[in-house]
Amino acid sequence: ISQEREVIKQGEDVKEESHKEAKIIIHLVQQSQRHLTQQVDIAVQRKIQLLTKQREEAEKILKRLKGYEEFVEQNLNRGSQQQVLRDKQSMIQEMTPVNQDVDLLYFNQ
């Protein structure tokens, strides 16, 4: 009877110890999950900020391009051929930085 009680007691001790270990493991997994969730949230925020900045830059570039388009249309409708040819060179020079901005915006995605 004494040995039976000892075996039962050992069994209960093992169960209790395994229960404690399981709780510790569960706690560690939950901590890890919280940490990973925070990391994902941070990554998402950074990507959203980048996309917002890129959208704003794209809108600025588009506005500049619309202005150039309007200028060219007016020039073609009102100007002489010589004026159009003169303005072509200055427009090319003005468009170069805009094209570079578009390239930077495209390659920084």
Side-chain angles (χ1 to χ4, degrees), residues 3-94:
Q3 287 180 336
E4 289 174 0
R5 281 189 212 146
E6 183 63 28
V7 169
I8 291 171
K9 171 81 168 101
Q10 286 176 349
E12 289 175 6
D13 289 346
V14 168
K15 287 178 188 178
E16 186 179 326
E17 187 61 32
S18 68
H19 184 71
K20 287 178 184 177
E21 290 295 321
K23 280 187 171 186
I24 291 171
I25 291 170
I26 289 169
H27 177 73
L28 291 173
V29 168
Q30 288 171 336
Q31 255 184 327
S32 179
Q33 180 186 16
R34 283 190 296 273
H35 177 73
L36 288 173
T37 300
Q38 289 171 347
Q39 294 301 312
V40 168
D41 289 343
I42 290 168
V44 166
Q45 273 306 109
R46 287 181 181 158
K47 186 64 177 181
I48 287 172
Q49 288 173 346
L50 176 63
L51 290 172
T52 299
K53 183 178 178 184
Q54 287 176 336
R55 185 187 74 242
E56 290 169 355
E57 289 298 317
E59 288 171 352
K60 287 178 189 176
I61 291 169
L62 183 60
K63 185 176 180 180
R64 287 171 65 187
L65 290 173
K66 292 255 186 215
Y68 292 141
E69 180 183 18
E70 290 171 8
F71 174 79
V72 169
E73 284 177 3
Q74 288 175 1
N75 199 358
L76 289 172
N77 291 332
R78 296 185 189 152
S80 66
Q81 287 182 351
Q82 291 81 15
Q83 183 65 37
V84 170
L85 291 174
R86 279 193 304 266
D87 290 343
K88 175 184 172 188
Q89 187 61 35
S90 68
M91 286 301 294
I92 289 173
Q93 289 174 348
E94 287 186 43

